[in-house]
Amino acid sequence: MSITKNDQRKWCLNFFKSKVKEFDFYLRGVVECCDQSMLRFKTSRQGTEHTENKIVFAFSAFANTIQTLKDSGSIFLPTKITWGDIAGLRHGKFMELSRNAATHDGHPIVTAWADGHYFVPADIHRFDSRGDLIKIVAPTEDVSQFCLEFSRDFGDFLATRVRALEPMESVGFGIDELEHGLQSRFVPEFVRQLFRDRRSEIEKAMAEVKTDPAEGCRSILMQVIEFCDERLAASQMN
């Protein structure tokens, strides 16, 4: 099976909605860790190695989804997403550099706690890919707040880029891609035979399916934005 650049662009647009959901999942995981920490503080309960590791792991996973959305979005969007674009968002530069520290150096990033809140304890120093010593300035905000503020801006940035796409109907998988997928050893022979018997009918039905995956991406991004707005508003009231 041969593929084209347009095939890859089509696939990445189809996959993007799921990756936005993953970004949302890990964002909520970070916030939940922070909520649970505050609950323990208010009820005078101690954290454990498990609970304290959860925030470190959740933040690392969250930061890596930023890289994924940047790279995969750059494949199908008319204009590539750069780290320069992300640096213009609240905490964007920290997210870029701390992801590098966590991914390449194994740095835990979130290791400070005070009165129920998690923090990045101090500026981080590391050598970059060119061998230059750099300083990553730690946010003064707690982890929940700076992740929500970044995600609010990043969600709006991505939604604006995706909104600029022209409607792309029928970008689903074609009949040749389906046939290729059916060669998997996990597909029973009777399913392959059914496909061979009804190939023309299946191809016609697939051609009639009209979808706009960009709209699905926008919908999930708006959910991310709304979640951030709600949580940030609630934190200002406390």
Side-chain angles (χ1 to χ4, degrees), residues 110-174:
V110 182
T111 57
W113 181 96
D115 297 333
H117 297 277
Y118 288 117
F119 294 91
V120 179
D123 296 343
I124 300 167
H125 294 84
R126 68 180 298 267
F127 291 98
D128 66 13
S129 60
R130 296 185 297 273
D132 297 328
L133 181 64
I134 63 170
K135 180 173 74 172
I136 306 172
V137 179
T140 56
E141 298 87 350
D142 71 8
V143 173
S144 179
Q145 182 174 341
F146 75 70
C147 285
L148 286 165
E149 288 177 346
F150 169 78
S151 299
R152 173 61 175 83
D153 291 1
F154 192 43
D156 188 57
F157 170 83
L158 292 175
T160 299
R161 288 290 184 95
V162 174
R163 196 177 294 120
L165 284 172
E166 295 182 0
M168 298 179 63
E169 291 189 346
S170 301
V171 299
F173 295 102

Side-chain angles (χ1 to χ4, degrees), residues 213-233:
E215 179 56 37
C217 295
R218 290 190 290 268
S219 176
I220 300 299
L221 286 166
M222 291 311 300
Q223 292 178 31
V224 173
I225 291 169
E226 289 170 6
F227 173 71
C228 294
D229 284 343
E230 290 172 1
R231 291 305 306 252
L232 289 169

Side-chain angles (χ1 to χ4, degrees), residues 2 10 13 26 41 68 98 122 149 193 214 230:
S2 61
K10 176 182 64 177
L13 177 55
Y26 286 120
F41 172 70
T68 302
S98 65
E149 288 177 346
Q193 184 59 53
E230 290 172 1

Side-chain angles (χ1 to χ4, degrees), residues 5-128:
K5 287 289 186 181
N6 191 56
D7 289 330
Q8 185 187 23
R9 179 172 179 265
K10 176 182 64 177
W11 292 344
C12 286
L13 177 55
N14 274 320
F15 298 151
F16 199 68
K17 178 180 175 180
S18 177
K19 301 313 293 186
V20 174
K21 287 183 177 181
E22 185 176 338
F23 173 78
D24 181 52
F25 176 85
Y26 286 120
L27 168 63
R28 291 173 190 261
V30 168
V31 173
E32 182 180 1
C33 286
C34 295
D35 288 348
Q36 292 298 317
S37 176
M38 182 56 66
L39 179 61
R40 288 193 298 273
F41 172 70
K42 290 180 177 179
T43 56
S44 302
R45 289 185 290 126
Q46 294 292 321
T48 65
E49 181 180 2
H50 175 69
T51 59
E52 303 319 299
N53 279 338
K54 282 182 70 175
I55 184 62
V56 176
F57 302 157
F59 179 78
S60 180
F62 168 71
N64 275 308
T65 62
I66 299 168
Q67 174 84 52
T68 302
L69 291 172
K70 168 193 168 293
D71 291 348
S72 62
S74 294
I75 291 175
F76 67 84
L77 290 168
T79 304
K80 291 183 179 296
I81 301 171
T82 68
W83 280 117
D85 295 325
I86 295 173
L89 311 177
R90 282 178 292 180
H91 313 292
K93 193 64 177 177
F94 173 78
M95 288 299 186
E96 174 193 0
L97 297 179
S98 65
R99 189 211 73 87
N100 290 340
T103 299
H104 302 304
D105 302 347
H107 198 293
I109 308 297
V110 182
T111 57
W113 181 96
D115 297 333
H117 297 277
Y118 288 117
F119 294 91
V120 179
D123 296 343
I124 300 167
H125 294 84
R126 68 180 298 267
F127 291 98
D128 66 13

